[in-house]
Amino acid sequence: MTPGVSVIIPASNEGQYIGPCLSALLASGPVPRQLVEVLVVANGCHDDTVAVALRFTQAAAQRGWSLHVLDLPEGSKINALNTGDQHATGGLRIYLDADVTVSPDVLPELADALTSDQARYGAGTPRIPAPASWITAQYARFWQRLPFARSNAAGFGLFAVNAAGRARWGRFPDIISDDTFVRLQFAPRERVQVGAPYDWPMAEGLARLVRVRRRQDQGIAQLTALFPELMQNDDKTQADVWALLKADPVGFGVYAAVSGLVRLTRRRDSAGWARGR
């Protein structure tokens, strides 16, 4: 590995999002003394994801960065992550969802925070853009009050590890929650959240909220069953239900409704990766 930064972006039919994602990334502030490479790993795409990503090759070169677009026939996020890792050369690895947009200071702050010989995990400060649907707005407002959403370096949509941190595991296993799998490789004291924000859009509409929440629950259950030793690093605290209800009764009701529908439909979407939009 070199001292540089590798940004790995799995993308499956992300033609609508990959342009804004790369535009924001290429608008990042300078990362001193670091070579930066971006790897867009298109997987199973039937839209213009690859074509859109390739349009940014020259802009990356003008910054002194490199941008590579890998076009895989199989639609698998885990395979995309592993393929990206195989091609990456940077010691600092940043894993970025294709529908996330970073602010200019995310890369510089992560590069600075993770410069260490000790294993470190880092994340930016997440923001949820204003949802388009009423139900998602209520759900998102309440969800942001939950202990996990307020926890240090939760890492949904964007997380980073330094070289010593990446050595904690080999290939990504065939799991649902790759982000949680990585975060739980690190004790809470080894995680750092930088102040720079990034935008992480939430699924729009009741059906998609239920679908995504179901997959999240399945992912945690899967990790608990397959990697019980990692759960010792889970610092999630119990929510104060009554305080949450009092603070936002409408949001609480929407969140409870989504949770109830997840339980009623828990047998669906039992395999594969489901995107939320």
Side-chain angles (χ1 to χ4, degrees):
M1 293 184 183
T2 70
V5 178
S6 294
V7 183
I8 299 172
I9 309 175
S12 182
N13 293 323
E14 302 282 8
Q16 180 181 351
Y17 300 100
I18 192 64
C21 175
L22 291 174
S23 291
L25 188 64
L26 289 170
S28 296
V31 184
R33 301 179 301 282
Q34 297 276 25
L35 299 174
V36 180
E37 65 176 0
V38 181
L39 298 106
V40 177
V41 191
N43 58 103
C45 292
H46 304 292
D47 66 354
D48 61 349
T49 297
V50 170
V52 173
L54 286 171
R55 294 172 193 160
F56 289 85
T57 304
Q58 184 176 358
Q62 289 173 346
R63 282 214 57 170
W65 296 10
S66 63
L67 188 151
H68 307 283
V69 181
L70 309 176
D71 190 3
L72 309 182
E74 179 185 358
S76 165
K77 184 180 182 184
I78 294 300
N79 184 50
L81 289 169
N82 285 324
T83 301
D85 266 333
Q86 289 171 2
H87 286 80
T89 61
L92 175 62
R93 301 287 169 87
I94 298 176
Y95 301 90
L96 179 65
D97 284 357
D99 57 358
V100 165
T101 54
V102 298
S103 65
D105 291 332
V106 169
L107 258 66
E109 290 187 14
L110 284 174
D112 181 62
L114 272 61
T115 299
S116 173
D117 293 332
Q118 303 298 313
R120 291 289 182 269
Y121 168 98
T125 297
R127 298 183 302 201
I128 298 178
S133 63
W134 179 87
I135 195 164
T136 295
Q138 311 312 307
Y139 185 93
R141 186 181 64 247
F142 183 82
W143 185 85
Q144 291 176 87
R145 297 179 182 271
L146 296 175
F148 171 72
R150 294 174 175 265
S151 64
N152 179 55
F156 42 85
L158 165 67
F159 58 88
V161 294
N162 62 7
R166 185 59 186 86
R168 290 273 172 96
W169 77 100
R171 290 174 59 83
F172 281 89
D174 187 12
I175 53 174
I176 297 169
S177 296
D178 56 276
D179 51 356
T180 304
F181 170 78
V182 173
R183 182 171 57 86
L184 294 183
Q185 301 287 332
F186 300 84
R189 67 180 181 278
E190 297 176 310
R191 304 178 206 147
V192 58
Q193 178 171 313
V194 300
Y198 65 96
D199 287 344
W200 181 77
M202 189 164 277
E204 292 286 357
L206 179 61
R208 290 173 176 170
L209 285 171
V210 170
R211 185 184 186 198
V212 170
R213 173 65 186 277
R214 186 189 306 123
R215 296 293 292 164
Q216 290 170 346
D217 290 353
Q218 290 173 341
I220 296 300
Q222 183 187 50
L223 285 177
T224 302
L226 296 178
F227 305 99
E229 70 282 0
L230 293 182
M231 305 315 291
Q232 66 183 346
N233 286 329
D234 189 0
D235 57 344
K236 184 170 64 176
T237 58
Q238 289 291 100
D240 185 338
V241 176
W242 294 112
L244 291 171
L245 172 60
K246 183 178 180 181
D248 187 359
V250 175
F252 181 93
V254 170
Y255 186 85
V258 170
S259 300
L261 287 169
V262 167
R263 288 192 293 271
L264 289 172
T265 58
R266 65 179 57 182
R267 292 182 179 273
R268 301 180 187 176
D269 294 342
S270 58
W273 178 74
R275 77 189 310 277
R277 283 161 257 300

